[in-house]
Amino acid sequence: MSDKPREYCGIYGIYNHPDAALHTYYGLHALQHRGQESAGIVTSYFDDDKGRYSMPAYKDFGLVLNVFSKSKVFKKILRGKNAIGHNRYSTSGSSKNPANIQPFRVHYRNGNLAIGHNGNLSNAKQIRERFRKEGVLFQSTSDTELILHLISHSDKEDQMDQIMDALEQIEGAYCLVILTDDKLIAVRDPNGFRPLALGKVDGAYCVSSETCAFDINNAEYIRDVQPGEVIVIDKDADENNEPKSYFIPPQEGTGTSQCIFEYVYFSRPDSKIFGEMVDKIRRNLGKQLAKEHPLTDIVKNNTTGKKPVVISVPDSSNTAALGYASESNKLGNDCKYDIGLIRNHYVGRTFISPGQKSREQKVRTKFNPVRGVIEGRVVIIVDDSIVRGTTSRYLVDMIRECNPAEIHFLVSSPPIISPCYYGMDFPTPNELIANKFDRDIEKMAKEIGVDSLRYLSADGLVDAVKEANPSGHDYCTACFTGNYPVPVNFGVEKEENELV
């Protein structure tokens, strides 16, 4: 049982490149943190022998390196200059269904069509029920399939009109890569919940959930796909050196609501999302944490003769911890940043079997404390979030075994109190430690075994992000505040509305 929210998914696409599938493979490898249950790539090309377009696919359960381990996949199967790829994370109950592995691929009256989706449709239940009444058969439990049905059932004649017709009927959080016989289409929802970027490599346009996938391919970041933008990359885009853009009208009464948790935890620190580097934002979160919770308020009487040591829970909180330590010293509160926990990066992503001992052993397999850094010191642990509190408690127990003078736990985000309906998978509300103890910080501190527990405030989180990235866009903070920017059907079952 993980003490972190589950990832969304990662998508990548490239148009008119001789090594399209290989570039997509490397892009998915860089996006592995966004989905680790399955991976897939679809390509397109004109088959001279058959006199028609062909759209081969290769996908399976597992990590990218394992799914595409055979070189023949790229040489003999995934032919063509256009490709899209998808790393998948799903909710429990549907993860073992191979029909849910993306990208999805269909053939309909206007040709071949493939799609990869990152997000969650908030009106999926209503759309699915409508199709059921019409007798439509479903191949998967994923809400992504609904988009394909909306396209194929559109009464429009032109394919782009069909796609726009479908997009205007869906709500919620979604970034899409759509591959047709002769086009690559990138879509970001009008609220801009998920990040999506446009790049270029060797003269070929590419799109990705995060810019780290551009870096691995030596691609140039051009700009973000704008909220509500539909970018069409085709032969005309190559000739005119500028893709064509369409825009989806936003829902009435809603504005931009970029997922702030992307900055807190999900995205890689070396990525640029929502127009700013993740590393810069996380450092600012640490600095804001130091302003709201200075060391002098936490450590009342340090008799150790040593500076308090600030350590992170690697890897996602590394830069926030650096920001906290640097700002503390700037404010005259002397402390030392050091590596107090070592993470084993070779631990597979396996689910933990039930039982107290096995859950604790999983944490010990993943982390190990550095006794020389911790022993006899006041230890300040900085983490990005706490969900259930289980991992935090086991980490604190391990650190206690190294005989620190005190242990204080700081979190660079507010308490998580609400589920996400826009593509992020949390435990049920009553499993969240903040709800379990009625947001009583002292009781929560006792539960995880620390001398004190401090959180960044909701206002402080937003202020810190906007200070580092004054883009003018607003952010979704629903998991921290319960304020949902887009109406949600709260009766949705996870298996009926799979996170992708």
Side-chain angles (χ1 to χ4, degrees):
M1 295 177 66
S2 174
D3 201 24
K4 297 291 182 185
R6 296 293 182 87
E7 297 88 343
Y8 315 95
C9 287
I11 56 175
Y12 189 90
I14 189 167
Y15 181 84
N16 196 25
H17 195 287
D19 296 317
L22 195 59
H23 270 262
T24 304
Y25 162 77
Y26 283 119
L28 293 182
H29 180 68
L31 298 171
Q32 187 72 85
H33 60 288
R34 298 188 72 89
Q36 300 165 42
E37 288 184 355
S38 63
I41 295 174
V42 173
T43 61
S44 71
Y45 68 98
F46 188 81
D47 191 326
D48 292 321
D49 295 334
K50 297 180 180 179
R52 57 179 171 81
Y53 282 96
S54 182
M55 192 170 276
Y58 194 89
K59 49 188 179 177
D60 204 349
F61 293 108
L63 302 177
V64 174
L65 289 172
N66 298 328
V67 172
F68 302 100
S69 59
K70 299 176 181 177
S71 60
K72 70 176 183 179
V73 171
F74 300 100
K75 294 178 180 179
K76 297 182 178 180
I77 300 174
L78 296 175
R79 298 166 56 192
K81 294 184 177 182
N82 312 323
I84 62 171
H86 186 272
N87 284 337
R88 175 172 167 267
Y89 164 70
S90 71
T91 58
S92 60
S94 53
S95 61
K96 295 182 180 179
N97 185 353
N100 288 328
I101 302 177
Q102 296 190 35
F104 291 160
R105 177 189 56 168
V106 295
H107 181 82
Y108 79 122
R109 68 185 188 274
N110 284 61
N112 296 299
L113 192 67
I115 188 170
H117 173 202
N118 170 29
N120 201 28
L121 304 186
S122 56
N123 65 336
K125 188 176 183 180
Q126 299 95 310
I127 297 173
R128 186 180 291 272
E129 187 59 32
R130 188 184 92 200
F131 280 134
R132 276 180 176 156
K133 290 178 180 178
E134 295 174 2
V136 173
L137 299 177
F138 297 99
Q139 301 297 317
S140 73
T141 60
S142 171
D143 56 2
T144 309
E145 185 181 355
L146 300 176
I147 302 173
L148 291 176
H149 285 303
L150 287 169
I151 295 171
S152 65
H153 283 73
S154 173
D155 58 7
K156 308 292 185 183
E157 291 298 324
D158 179 75
Q159 190 177 53
M160 271 310 302
D161 290 339
Q162 294 167 357
I163 292 171
M164 292 302 297
D165 183 30
L167 295 175
E168 290 177 13
Q169 296 180 63
I170 60 177
E171 299 171 2
Y174 55 90
C175 279
L176 309 173
V177 282
I178 300 173
L179 189 64
T180 71
D181 287 330
D182 59 354
K183 296 179 181 67
L184 170 65
I185 301 166
V187 184
R188 190 172 171 211
D189 69 77
N191 290 82
F193 281 105
R194 304 280 156 260
L196 192 62
L198 176 69
K200 206 169 190 181
V201 56
D202 302 328
Y205 285 103
C206 49
V207 291
S208 175
S209 294
E210 296 182 34
T211 60
C212 60
F214 293 162
D215 296 337
I216 198 172
N217 282 315
N218 200 29
E220 173 195 3
Y221 164 77
I222 298 175
R223 64 176 177 86
D224 281 2
V225 178
Q226 296 303 305
E229 188 176 16
V230 181
I231 294 181
V232 180
I233 303 168
D234 56 11
K235 186 178 179 181
D236 290 340
D238 277 351
E239 291 176 353
N240 300 325
N241 201 32
E242 183 68 37
K244 186 180 293 184
S245 289
Y246 302 83
F247 282 88
I248 310 163
Q251 281 185 259
E252 187 176 349
T254 67
T256 55
S257 44
Q258 301 173 145
C259 175
I260 207 163
F261 216 90
E262 287 277 0
Y263 278 137
V264 172
Y265 171 66
F266 279 116
S267 296
R268 274 178 39 166
D270 53 332
S271 285
K272 186 175 188 177
I273 66 164
F274 305 146
E276 190 52 79
M277 293 298 299
V278 176
D279 173 82
K280 178 181 176 181
I281 299 292
R282 288 187 184 159
R283 286 177 189 269
N284 223 40
L285 296 181
K287 292 176 181 178
Q288 182 66 24
L289 194 61
K291 294 172 184 175
E292 292 188 8
H293 303 292
L295 272 174
T296 50
D297 287 354
I298 298 170
V299 184
K300 302 296 184 182
N301 186 25
N302 183 9
T303 60
T304 65
K306 302 175 182 178
K307 294 180 181 180
V309 62
V310 177
I311 68 172
S312 66
V313 179
D315 292 313
S316 55
S317 63
N318 289 352
T319 44
L322 278 167
Y324 182 86
S326 65
E327 186 67 16
S328 294
N329 285 315
K330 183 179 177 181
L331 294 172
N333 303 322
D334 285 349
C335 64
K336 174 186 178 184
Y337 173 81
D338 212 331
I339 299 172
L341 284 169
I342 301 297
R343 180 181 175 185
N344 183 348
H345 290 85
Y346 303 98
V347 178
R349 189 181 183 273
T350 55
F351 291 102
I352 305 165
S353 57
Q356 185 79 7
K357 185 176 180 180
S358 62
R359 288 196 293 268
E360 182 178 358
Q361 189 59 42
K362 180 66 176 180
V363 176
R364 288 183 177 274
T365 302
K366 191 173 182 179
F367 297 103
N368 196 44
V370 181
R371 180 176 289 270
V373 170
I374 294 167
E375 191 168 22
R377 286 185 178 272
V378 173
V379 177
I380 311 295
I381 305 171
V382 176
D383 202 358
D384 49 74
S385 58
I386 303 178
V387 182
R388 290 185 181 92
T390 50
T391 298
S392 303
R393 184 171 68 250
Y394 296 138
L395 283 174
V396 170
D397 288 345
M398 290 165 57
I399 291 170
R400 285 278 183 209
E401 293 171 5
C402 296
N403 300 317
E406 300 174 21
I407 302 178
H408 302 275
F409 207 109
L410 277 70
V411 186
S412 59
S413 63
I416 297 171
I417 60 171
S418 303
C420 175
Y421 295 93
Y422 308 124
M424 183 165 54
D425 189 23
F426 283 122
T428 57
N430 60 356
E431 291 180 285
L432 299 171
I433 188 172
N435 293 338
K436 185 178 178 181
F437 293 97
D438 296 321
R439 306 179 203 178
D440 188 317
I441 302 297
E442 290 186 7
K443 289 181 180 178
M444 292 159 63
K446 185 176 180 181
E447 173 67 13
I448 66 174
V450 293
D451 295 286
S452 72
L453 172 65
R454 311 291 174 96
Y455 282 92
L456 185 62
S457 67
D459 288 342
L461 171 66
V462 174
D463 289 345
V465 170
K466 288 191 171 183
E467 180 186 8
N469 184 17
S471 63
H473 290 305
D474 289 325
Y475 293 89
C476 176
T477 60
C479 54
F480 303 122
T481 62
N483 298 323
Y484 294 96
V486 173
V488 174
N489 181 347
F490 291 95
V492 170
E493 294 291 335
K494 283 186 177 180
E495 287 77 13
E496 290 291 311
N497 193 16
E498 183 184 324
L499 304 180
V500 290

